Amino acid sequence: MGEIGVFASIVAGDTFKYYSEGEWRVSSSGKSVPIINPTTRKTQFEVQACTQDEVNKVMESAKIAQKSWAKTPLWKRAELLHKAAAILKDHKKPIAECLVKEIAKPAKDAATEVVRSGDLVSYCAEEGVRILGEGKFLMSDSFPGNERTKYCLTSKIPLGVVLAIPPFNYPVNLAVSKIAPALIAGNSLVLKPPTQGAVSALHMVHCFHLAGFPKGVISCITGKGSEIGDFLTMHPIVNCISFTGGDTGIAIAKKVSMIPLQMELGGKDACIILEDADLDLAASNIVKGGFSYSGQRCTAVKVVLVMESVADILVKKVNEKVGKLTVGPPENDCDITPVVTESSANFIEGLVMDAKKKGATFCQEYKREGNLIWPLLLDNVKQDMRIAWEEPFGPVLPIIRISNVEEGIHHCNASNFGLQGCVFTKDINKAMLISDAMETGTVQINSAPARGPDHFPFQGLKDSGIGSQGVTNSINMMTKIKSTVINLPTPSYTMG
Ligand code: G3H
């Protein structure tokens, strides 16, 4: 139930409250949403099932609060963010415990997520002070036909109310990656956390509350997507949406009005292995990239495309490492933990069975207990298998053997996703050419795909998303340019 004491005010009985107008509240619906522990498959927590009226109240207070928040000096906004970051890191333990219970994140990774989040908030405060503190000055006579009579001053101003919808796999980190840029830029922020992960997110929001943010500047609404999802995303007060998740993002993009969108919607990150690759390095990265947090990362390695001539050696090396992965509960800090829901486990199983039926080579025996799926490497995967194209979001990894590089690039580019990709080779010239040819937002050379460090640009092409993230890009995306033009009198006289 989280840490009694500092977090006591965020819970009523067995149900966590939502955060509106600077206070922790109980929904008038009298209903709650259960959060199922992926390991025990029993209800672990409950959160408020908020109503549309409560969404309206949150939005209205966010709109009012934003006006004065935007006028709060930038250095003061930064100061509050630094304070929230410190409080967040101080409460790493209870928040990490929630992550373990809600989303079965291995204990060490859960603690890392909280610390990384605090660092992200602080970095964002510093970067915001730098990039929002400066503008541009343009002279009119640089454009043909103009005299030196117009001075244009530009600065960045906030968008208004930003709606943040993070995913279950990083309910704290991917929430603050939206919250911190929005707030430093002078926006107010409404958070709709994922159901699995909501309690961790509510704890994180309480750290912002403790830091002393003015009421309405940050709010957090919980509830069923089916009841308040569209209502939130189509709300007229919302001026920007930052969403990370699955293809719900595509549906949101089709429904919303003319507002800026930042979306990250998953990937089928390919790992291309050339003949000259350091195969030990490649194998370590494939296992880390493919199986950390049981493959439930948008940047996980989701298909290995290996040159046939080195495939046997690579598969052997990867198999040795897969055999050493520990499998079990997140509390024991196992490498492979239960996937987030039973329906996810069923989906993964569907992909595995399809591959089996169509003749893939199973390097390990397929094993599942409840939501726990043992790590599985599928060799000799062919183009007609679903797993060659779909994103399992689980600890199963397909290997496709290729006879030339073009085949690998073609497979990568034929995907409807385009998040990240990676290539292993000792030839930097080849690596650069392959990077150029891969239709993905990022290509990693000699390392597995990854979003971090969190200030790096992070973007997906095609169905993987809209816009670019990373601290600087997010701050810029959550602002608009305002110009003021000083018009001097027509030069009927000259000075000097
Ligand atoms: O799941 C999507 C995340 O953005 C991946 O982040 O590369 O740090 O695991 P990560």
Side-chain angles (χ1 to χ4, degrees):
M1 193 61 70
E3 190 183 67
I4 311 295
V6 77
F7 292 110
S9 58
I10 77 170
V11 65
D14 285 338
T15 310
F16 281 84
K17 300 179 190 171
Y18 74 105
Y19 187 61
S20 170
E21 297 172 272
E23 282 175 22
W24 290 98
R25 295 168 187 259
V26 172
S27 170
S28 62
S29 72
K31 292 188 206 152
S32 61
V33 182
I35 293 166
I36 312 296
N37 180 321
T39 311
T40 63
R41 293 192 290 157
K42 295 199 173 112
T43 299
Q44 180 74 47
F45 302 119
E46 290 189 58
V47 294
Q48 306 293 321
C50 292
T51 64
Q52 295 188 351
D53 275 352
E54 286 156 351
V55 171
N56 278 332
K57 282 222 175 68
V58 159
M59 290 297 174
E60 275 150 26
S61 80
K63 187 177 176 180
I64 293 165
Q66 192 269 328
K67 303 283 175 219
S68 39
W69 179 241
K71 293 195 180 100
T72 303
L74 183 52
W75 67 266
K76 276 196 185 171
R77 300 203 296 261
E79 206 170 72
L80 276 175
L81 282 168
H82 280 302
K83 205 168 163 192
I87 298 171
L88 189 59
K89 283 166 124 179
D90 280 351
H91 296 92
K92 169 178 86 172
K93 197 163 172 268
I95 301 175
E97 276 167 15
C98 292
L99 289 168
V100 167
K101 287 177 188 149
E102 277 189 292
I103 60 164
K105 187 162 271 199
K108 271 193 201 133
D109 291 352
T112 303
E113 175 171 347
V114 184
V115 174
R116 174 182 180 182
S117 302
D119 291 340
L120 195 161
V121 174
S122 289
Y123 188 97
C124 203
E126 287 166 18
E127 181 72 346
V129 166
R130 282 193 287 268
I131 65 171
L132 298 167
E134 57 183 40
K136 266 191 176 175
F137 176 50
L138 290 90
M139 307 287 298
S140 53
D141 66 343
S142 53
F143 197 87
N146 283 271
E147 299 295 326
R148 199 176 172 85
T149 54
K150 292 171 187 284
Y151 298 165
C152 179
L153 305 166
T154 72
S155 63
K156 287 177 184 141
I157 60 167
L159 297 174
V161 177
V162 175
L163 173 63
I165 310 180
F168 82 84
N169 61 349
Y170 283 99
V172 175
N173 182 263
L174 280 171
V176 301
S177 75
K178 304 171 191 312
I179 294 170
L183 297 186
I184 192 66
N187 300 287
S188 56
L189 187 289
V190 176
L191 174 69
K192 163 65 179 75
T195 298
Q196 302 290 139
V199 172
S200 314
L202 290 167
H203 280 70
M204 174 272 294
V205 168
H206 193 52
C207 297
F208 283 76
H209 170 80
L210 294 172
F213 279 81
K215 73 171 187 178
V217 167
I218 176 167
S219 318
C220 183
I221 197 114
T222 54
K224 290 198 172 137
S226 55
E227 280 166 29
I228 56 166
D230 280 354
F231 194 72
L232 269 166
T233 53
M234 294 163 77
H235 202 285
I237 286 180
V238 170
N239 302 113
C240 168
I241 300 176
S242 178
F243 175 94
T244 307
D247 46 17
T248 308
I250 297 177
I252 293 174
K254 285 181 182 155
K255 285 182 202 160
V256 295
S257 57
M258 216 168 64
I259 56 171
L261 299 177
Q262 184 184 52
M263 297 213 160
E264 197 272 281
L265 313 178
K268 184 73 183 171
D269 296 8
C271 176
I272 300 181
I273 313 287
L274 303 194
E275 282 140 331
D276 70 341
D278 176 338
L279 295 180
D280 289 310
L281 179 73
S284 305
N285 275 274
I286 287 168
V287 174
K288 186 165 174 274
F291 295 98
S292 56
Y293 189 35
S294 307
Q296 298 174 109
R297 296 164 54 240
C298 54
T299 49
V301 171
K302 298 208 179 93
V303 59
V304 176
L305 301 156
V306 57
M307 292 291 283
E308 180 69 64
S309 56
V310 290
D312 285 343
I313 312 170
L314 181 81
V315 169
K316 188 169 174 281
K317 287 180 187 290
V318 174
N319 268 329
E320 276 164 16
K321 292 182 191 298
V322 169
K324 289 184 186 145
L325 294 173
T326 54
V327 182
E331 286 82 357
N332 295 358
D333 202 38
C334 290
D335 299 313
I336 304 295
T337 56
V339 296
V340 69
T341 59
E342 191 174 344
S343 62
S344 304
N346 293 343
F347 175 76
I348 297 161
E349 185 163 295
L351 294 181
V352 170
M353 291 309 143
D354 174 76
K356 185 174 190 182
K357 200 172 67 194
K358 293 173 182 161
T361 308
F362 280 43
C363 298
Q364 293 78 22
E365 189 194 345
Y366 174 67
K367 193 173 164 195
R368 170 180 172 187
E369 277 173 19
N371 294 0
L372 187 60
I373 294 176
W374 269 250
L376 176 63
L377 203 61
L378 298 164
D379 195 3
N380 296 303
V381 164
K382 303 287 180 231
Q383 303 290 326
D384 65 337
M385 298 176 190
R386 286 176 55 205
I387 203 157
W389 303 104
E390 294 180 42
E391 192 182 21
F393 237 67
V396 299
L397 181 58
I399 297 186
I400 298 178
R401 295 173 177 234
I402 52 172
S403 43
N404 55 58
V405 183
E406 289 71 22
E407 220 179 288
I409 293 169
H410 181 264
H411 184 89
C412 169
N413 292 351
S415 169
N416 57 322
F417 289 116
L419 189 62
Q420 292 206 4
C422 62
V423 54
F424 285 83
T425 174
K426 290 183 190 127
D427 184 335
I428 189 65
N429 296 328
K430 267 193 199 157
M432 291 305 295
L433 289 170
I434 291 169
S435 169
D436 217 28
M438 282 171 96
E439 293 168 2
T440 59
T442 303
V443 174
Q444 306 269 353
I445 298 173
N446 292 327
S447 186
R451 173 168 49 107
D454 289 340
H455 66 309
F456 278 13
F458 179 55
Q459 55 281 314
L461 309 184
K462 300 188 270 186
D463 285 354
S464 286
I466 306 173
S468 180
Q469 301 173 65
V471 171
T472 314
N473 287 343
S474 292
I475 296 173
N476 284 330
M477 184 267 169
M478 291 175 185
T479 58
K480 54 191 163 193
I481 303 288
K482 170 77 187 273
S483 302
T484 302
V485 181
I486 302 169
N487 288 277
L488 302 178
T490 318
S492 50
Y493 57 90
T494 48
M495 301 284 284

